[in-house]
């Protein structure tokens, strides 16, 4: 440690950090490097313990200091993550300015670590766990950034899940109509799903060729799939979705959840006469928050907004010329391929290729060290290797995650739509990028390196490795969905599909029922003021997004039914009157959600079984499928000869029976309780269906923004919880520039 202390003593920082009334750090410096050094110092001052947890999770070293309870996350990271050499190669491949940001940030973090060590003010977690912080490195920040990109900016690789679905359904009554059931559950494109870019605004004269699998191609593909058991598939599916590290991430208060919504309003539709931008990344709520905020002011960078502790720079925010937001794009960037195994090799097009195995050390506090085997091939990392088959994951953005963060740095100097277009073209991860400029423009870009897949196969299932099935390149940036200055003067996204012609590929993410409709319903006024965007965020947190689609059928069925008890009659009256709002105390909301579950079970339990768990059952059988089944728009008759009214009434009676058994005979006690946001102490904040961080920016000549970061900017002290009152009251504070 002495050499770090000496280096810091000899290095005199050339930045200042001041803090506003909410403790938000504002860094002022002369140069780009000094600004990022100050950012590292200020963020460590606020969140060093959280950053420690984040770097250890990203690098697979949590168990070294916290013991076996977090070892599953480390095993996942070591088995599937990049090596140190691969991360270093990504860093080395960045442009000089971006590399400087990572290196200067580490210098600032280390300056704070040394100060805290000397003053004996290190976060108490270190002493409790029995270790001291090692020097921070650019590699630590890179590992966190890569994990962040993979968590929020990847999509696809659902083929293993779909293969498990095939194997599961082979043992169910619908097994003889497997292709029909798969088309019901895994629809390839629903033209009724809400797009971000309206067809009338689509500037593209031609679209990428995304072939839709025919029935014959699906049947041929199913016949070509290897034999593999559910017991073998389920752990691989867990690994593909980063399940173990997500669970541990939540307990360690680092990013774990994906979502987000954004709204952009043109100057012509804005009541203020200037563009408006609302951005609300939904990354989960923890204490401290999984995100942070700051402003940077130096030559080449004048920006304010949200950052992620450990990652250099503002990710969502505004400059003097531009405001921007991001939501997860859900594009299918990844595929699963398979090949037969022969000894320690696998065969592709008649040639044997090696399966490489690398032993990676896993230190576990209080236990003997472990050795985790990471298997890889030239076609991608191995997710599953059975006795006969290897399954590998191929990612369109592999070894390119940091390029996306480097591209975002160019937003700091962007002024016009053409500047943002150039940034979007360089982002390999799947994100929706929204922006508004002080010159009066608004726009949207769908980002990501999306493969062009071979025709003749079904993209919903693992693909045999061969030259015939290899990717045909990637969708050119110029053919990705986008819009600039749309006719309606409004762009709204809640992770919905980018354009009407964009398919689902391997995951039925977008159907006729989608939550973005709840957002759009709040934005119908001819002119919109900032308060309208604030109220849109307020209302969607209190809305059950599926109710507008399914309540007409529920209401129709219940209005004509005869009831056998006063409890049933009163409950039916409550549900008939339900208006679709998930507000605290609503009896209708509780009854609707319980009836929805009961209708799902009534439709699908007999032909399909339980899907092994209630959560999987609910996930696989989406509300869009329920509505399709009730309206007879499915290949299989899930009504089984009943009318929709008869099925809904039968399901409602079962829902009431369950409510009585759990909560008593009186429906007046069946009130709905919304999700809550944890706080430092006291009563949790109600209504968690909102942004972890919310910003609203008015694009005047000098932009004016306001935001809220729940519960506060710091992990301890007065500023750990001083934004809780704002969040509880749905209020915002001013986004301040560096003074």
């Amino acid at each position: 440690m002495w050499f770090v202390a000496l280096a810091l003593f000899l290095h005199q920082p050339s930045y200042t950090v001041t803090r506003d009334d909410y403790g938000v750090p504002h860094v002022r410096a002369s140069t780009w490097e000094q600004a990022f050094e100050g950012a590292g110092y200020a963020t460590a001052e606020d969140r060093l313990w959280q950053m420690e947890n984040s770097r250890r999770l990203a690098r697979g070293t949590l168990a070294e200091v916290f013991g076996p309870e977090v070892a599953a996350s480390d095993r996942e990271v070591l088995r599937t993550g990049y090596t140190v050499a691969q991360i270093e190669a990504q860093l080395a491949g960045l442009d000089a300015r971006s590399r400087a940001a990572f290196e200067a940030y580490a210098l600032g973090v280390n300056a704070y670590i040394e100060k805290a060590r000397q003053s004996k003010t290190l976060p108490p977690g270190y002493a409790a766990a029995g270790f001291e912080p090692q020097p921070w490195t650019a590699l630590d920040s890179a590992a966190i950034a890569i994990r962040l990109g993979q968590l929020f900016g990847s999509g696809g690789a659902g083929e293993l899940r779909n293969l498990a679905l095939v194997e599961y359904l082979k043992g169910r009554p619908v097994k003889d109509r497997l292709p029909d059931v798969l088309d019901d559950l895994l629809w390839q494109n629903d033209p009724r799903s809400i797009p971000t870019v309206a067809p009338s605004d689509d500037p593209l004269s031609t679209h990428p060729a995304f072939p839709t699998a025919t029935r014959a191609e699906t049947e041929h593909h199913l016949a070509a799939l290897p034999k593999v058991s559910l017991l073998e598939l389920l752990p691989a599916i867990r690994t593909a979705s980063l399940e173990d590290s997500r669970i541990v991430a939540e307990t360690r208060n680092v990013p774990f959840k994906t979502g987000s919504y954004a709204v952009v309003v043109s100057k012509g539709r804005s009541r203020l006469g200037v563009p408006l931008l609302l951005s609300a990344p939904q990354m989960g709520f923890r204490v401290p928050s999984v995100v942070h905020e700051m402003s940077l002011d130096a030559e080449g960078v004048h920006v304010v907004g949200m950052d992620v502790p450990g990652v250099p720079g503002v990710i969502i925010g505004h400059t003097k010329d531009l405001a921007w937001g991001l939501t997860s794009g859900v594009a299918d960037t990844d595929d699963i391929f398979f090949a037969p195994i022969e000894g320690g090799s696998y065969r592709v097009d008649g040639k044997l290729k090696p399966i490489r195995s690398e032993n990676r050390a896993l230190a576990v506090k209080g236990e003997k060290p472990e050795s985790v085997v990471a298997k890889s091939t030239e076609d991608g990392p191995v997710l599953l290797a059975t006795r006969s088959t290897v399954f590998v994951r191929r990612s369109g953005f592999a070894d390119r995650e940091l390029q996306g963060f480097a591209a975002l740095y160019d937003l700091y100097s962007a002024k016009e739509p053409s500047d943002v277009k150039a940034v979007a073209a360089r982002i390999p991860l799947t994100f929706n990028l929204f922006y508004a400029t002080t010159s009066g423009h608004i726009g949207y870009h769908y980002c990501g390196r999306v493969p062009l897949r071979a025709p003749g196969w079904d993209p919903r299932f693992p693909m045999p490795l061969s030259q015939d099935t290899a990717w045909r390149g990637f969708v050119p940036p110029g053919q990705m969905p986008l819009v600039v200055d749309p006719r309606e003067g409004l762009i709204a996204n809640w992770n919905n599909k980018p354009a009407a012609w964009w398919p689902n590929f391997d995951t039925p993410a977008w159907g006729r029922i989608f939550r973005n409709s709840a957002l759009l319903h709040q934005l119908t006024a001819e002119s919109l003021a900032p308060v309208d965007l604030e109220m849109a965020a307020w209302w969607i947190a209190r809305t059950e997004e599926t109710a507008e689609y399914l309540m007409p059928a529920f209401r129709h069925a219940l209005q004509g039914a005869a009831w056998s008890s006063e409890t049933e009659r009163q409950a039916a009256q409550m549900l008939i009157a339900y208006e679709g709002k998930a507000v605290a105390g609503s009896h209708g909301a509780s009854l609707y959600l319980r009836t929805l579950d009961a209708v799902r079970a009534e439709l699908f339990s007999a032909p399909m079984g339980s899907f092994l768990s209630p959560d999987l059952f609910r996930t696989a059988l989406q509300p869009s499928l329920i509505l399709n089944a009730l309206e007879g728009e499915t290949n299989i008759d899930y009504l089984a000869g009943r009318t929709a009214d008869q099925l809904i009434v039968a399901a409602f009676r079962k829902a009431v029976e369950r409510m009585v058994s759990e909560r008593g005979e009186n429906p007046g006690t069946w009130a709905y309780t919304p999700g809550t946001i944890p706080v430092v102490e006291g009563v949790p904040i109600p209504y968690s269906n909102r942004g972890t961080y919310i910003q609203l920016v008015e694009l005047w000549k000098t932009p004016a923004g306001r935001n809220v970061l729940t519960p506060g900017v710091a992990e301890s002290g007065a500023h750990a919880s001083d934004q809780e009152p704002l969040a509880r009251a749905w209020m915002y504070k001013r986004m301040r520039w560096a003074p």
Side-chain angles (χ1 to χ4, degrees):
M1 297 290 184
W2 66 269
F3 58 90
V4 175
L6 178 61
L8 292 170
F9 175 78
L10 295 175
H11 174 78
Q12 296 300 314
S14 301
Y15 57 83
T16 59
V17 178
T18 59
R19 294 182 178 271
D20 62 24
D21 293 342
Y22 287 91
V24 177
H26 304 288
V27 180
R28 170 167 283 185
S30 298
T31 67
W32 172 273
E33 290 83 0
Q34 292 165 4
F36 278 89
E37 183 181 344
Y41 183 94
T43 310
E45 191 173 32
D46 290 334
R47 303 287 188 86
L48 179 60
W49 182 241
Q50 183 182 46
M51 292 167 65
E52 181 70 56
N53 281 269
S54 191
R55 70 167 163 178
R56 286 185 173 276
L57 186 139
R59 299 190 64 176
T61 61
L62 279 171
E64 178 183 10
V65 294
F66 297 120
E69 63 269 20
V70 294
S73 173
D74 287 351
R75 292 188 193 100
E76 176 190 279
V77 171
L78 294 174
R79 189 180 299 119
T80 63
Y82 292 131
T83 64
V84 169
Q86 288 172 315
I87 299 175
E88 288 176 337
Q90 282 209 48
L91 272 170
L94 296 179
D95 62 277
R97 188 181 67 155
S98 298
R99 287 198 309 275
F102 277 81
E103 291 164 359
Y105 188 88
L107 189 62
V109 175
N110 286 325
Y112 178 73
I113 289 175
E114 186 58 27
K115 176 185 176 183
R117 181 182 286 110
Q118 294 293 335
S119 61
K120 301 188 185 305
T121 56
L122 285 169
Y126 285 106
F131 74 102
E132 286 198 354
Q134 294 295 311
W136 194 270
T137 67
L139 195 74
D140 292 325
S141 289
I144 296 171
I146 287 169
R147 181 183 179 274
L148 192 69
Q150 293 174 348
L151 185 63
F152 292 94
S154 67
E159 295 91 351
L160 281 180
R161 181 193 61 241
N162 296 340
L163 178 56
L165 175 64
V166 169
E167 294 302 317
Y168 169 80
L169 291 174
K170 286 179 180 177
R172 308 309 309 168
V174 292
K175 62 181 181 296
D176 294 332
R177 297 190 62 186
L178 190 55
D180 286 327
V181 180
L182 293 172
D183 283 343
D184 284 344
L185 271 65
L186 305 173
W187 59 91
Q188 298 182 61
N189 193 2
D190 189 335
R192 297 166 294 187
S193 188
I194 301 170
T196 302
V197 179
S200 59
D201 284 322
D202 189 351
L204 302 178
S205 57
T206 60
H207 300 139
F210 295 138
T212 300
T214 65
R215 176 56 59 88
E217 289 168 343
T218 297
E219 291 175 344
H220 171 260
H221 198 144
L222 290 174
L225 292 174
K227 303 296 181 184
V228 59
S229 72
L230 275 175
L231 291 177
E232 291 172 313
L233 284 168
L234 292 179
I237 294 169
R238 189 178 180 90
T239 298
S241 61
L242 307 178
E243 188 65 25
D244 287 324
S245 62
R246 283 176 186 257
I247 291 172
V248 172
E250 184 172 5
T251 67
R252 310 312 300 185
N253 302 329
V254 298
F256 65 94
K257 182 179 179 293
T258 59
S260 308
Y261 54 88
V263 177
V264 196
V265 179
S266 71
K267 64 179 182 179
R269 193 164 176 182
S270 165
R271 202 171 303 167
L272 299 180
V274 297
L276 310 173
L277 182 139
L278 171 75
S279 182
Q282 293 181 293
M283 303 166 70
F285 287 98
R286 302 297 297 166
V287 177
S289 173
V290 299
V291 296
H292 182 255
E293 59 177 316
M294 66 168 60
S295 73
L296 304 177
D297 182 18
E299 184 177 355
V301 53
H302 191 79
V303 62
V304 58
M306 185 200 90
D307 63 291
V308 173
V311 179
V314 169
I315 295 175
I316 292 174
H318 76 80
T319 66
K320 295 182 293 183
D321 304 296
L322 178 87
W324 77 94
L326 297 168
T327 70
S328 292
V330 202
D332 190 356
T333 57
D334 294 21
D335 280 348
I336 305 297
F337 288 83
F338 65 88
I341 286 178
E342 296 183 23
S345 304
Y346 64 110
R347 185 172 292 277
V348 179
D349 293 331
K351 297 180 180 179
L352 288 177
K353 296 183 176 183
I355 298 176
R356 299 182 292 268
S357 294
E358 178 187 357
N359 292 321
R360 300 181 180 179
L362 169 60
V364 182
K365 184 178 181 180
E367 297 189 357
K368 292 182 179 180
E370 296 182 21
S371 181
V372 176
V373 179
K375 294 185 176 182
S376 62
T377 72
E378 68 177 58
D379 294 293
V382 174
L383 288 182
L384 173 63
T386 70
R387 291 183 178 181
S388 60
T389 310
V390 63
F391 293 85
V392 302
R393 179 173 189 157
R394 183 176 292 171
S395 173
F397 56 77
D399 297 310
R400 291 177 169 86
E401 290 92 340
L402 294 186
Q403 292 179 13
F405 291 89
L408 287 179
Y409 293 152
D410 283 348
L411 288 177
Y412 299 174
S413 57
K415 296 182 178 181
E416 298 298 335
S418 58
D419 300 327
V420 182
K421 182 179 181 180
V423 169
R426 293 172 49 213
I427 297 177
L429 301 156
T430 171
F431 283 104
N432 298 292
L433 170 60
F434 308 87
Y435 67 90
T437 71
T438 55
S439 59
H441 298 288
I442 67 171
Y444 157 76
H445 286 273
Y446 195 48
C447 306
R449 209 159 179 260
V450 180
L452 292 168
R453 296 168 172 89
W457 296 86
D458 193 324
R460 297 175 293 182
F461 305 107
M463 199 80 69
L465 267 170
S466 76
Q467 189 63 37
D468 292 338
T469 62
W471 289 347
R472 271 52 173 168
F474 298 88
V475 178
Q479 284 196 299
M480 293 289 284
L482 79 155
V483 66
V484 179
D485 298 329
R487 292 178 180 84
E488 294 297 320
L490 179 71
I491 307 169
N493 175 278
W494 200 353
N495 308 114
N496 49 298
K497 73 189 301 184
W501 45 269
W502 194 273
N504 279 319
F505 294 105
D506 64 13
T507 302
W510 302 305
R512 62 191 295 198
I513 296 179
F514 202 82
R515 63 191 183 190
N516 199 48
S517 63
L519 183 58
L520 290 171
H521 286 334
Q522 305 304 322
L523 301 168
T524 57
E526 290 187 7
S527 63
L528 295 165
V531 68
D532 296 312
L533 274 62
E534 291 182 15
M535 290 306 298
W538 189 90
W539 268 118
I540 63 175
R542 293 162 169 78
T543 299
E544 170 46 51
E545 303 102 356
T546 64
E548 68 167 293
Y549 298 92
L550 290 166
M551 267 308 299
F554 288 9
R555 194 173 289 116
H556 183 273
L558 299 183
Q559 283 173 336
W563 305 111
S564 58
S565 69
E566 177 59 21
T567 297
E568 281 188 350
R569 186 199 66 77
Q570 187 177 345
Q573 186 176 353
M574 288 176 172
L575 185 52
I576 289 169
Y578 178 53
E579 77 294 342
K581 301 302 181 186
V583 296
S586 168
H587 306 97
S590 292
L591 278 162
Y592 170 77
L593 292 170
R594 188 55 59 86
T595 302
L596 177 60
D597 280 343
V599 168
R600 182 185 282 110
E602 197 73 15
L603 283 166
F604 305 116
S605 290
M608 296 190 195
S610 66
F611 281 78
L612 306 180
S613 79
D615 286 341
L616 286 176
F617 187 79
R618 190 176 294 111
T619 299
L621 305 170
Q622 298 185 45
S624 291
L625 174 62
I626 293 173
L627 184 56
N628 290 343
L630 290 174
E631 295 183 350
E633 293 190 16
T634 52
N635 296 312
I636 305 293
D637 177 18
Y638 300 104
L639 293 169
R642 296 168 289 181
T643 66
D645 284 356
Q646 290 170 336
L647 184 139
I648 291 168
V649 169
F652 174 76
R653 285 198 164 104
K654 292 179 180 178
V656 171
E657 287 177 10
R658 187 166 180 183
M659 292 290 277
V660 168
S661 68
E662 294 176 359
R663 304 178 68 171
E665 293 276 351
N666 180 9
T669 64
W670 300 352
Y672 171 76
T673 302
T676 59
I677 298 172
V679 297
V680 174
E681 60 181 26
V683 179
I685 300 169
Y687 301 110
S688 58
N689 192 16
R690 61 173 106 177
T692 307
Y693 164 88
I694 305 177
Q695 74 171 31
L696 176 57
V697 185
E698 303 165 12
L699 276 299
W700 302 96
K701 184 177 181 180
T702 299
R706 50 188 183 271
N707 65 4
V708 63
L709 174 71
T710 313
V713 76
E715 60 188 1
S716 63
H719 299 305
S721 58
D722 56 352
Q723 296 190 48
E724 287 177 12
L726 296 176
R728 197 178 297 275
W730 284 87
M731 296 176 64
Y732 305 88
K733 68 183 193 309
R734 179 184 171 192
M735 294 174 69
R736 294 184 179 273
W737 298 96

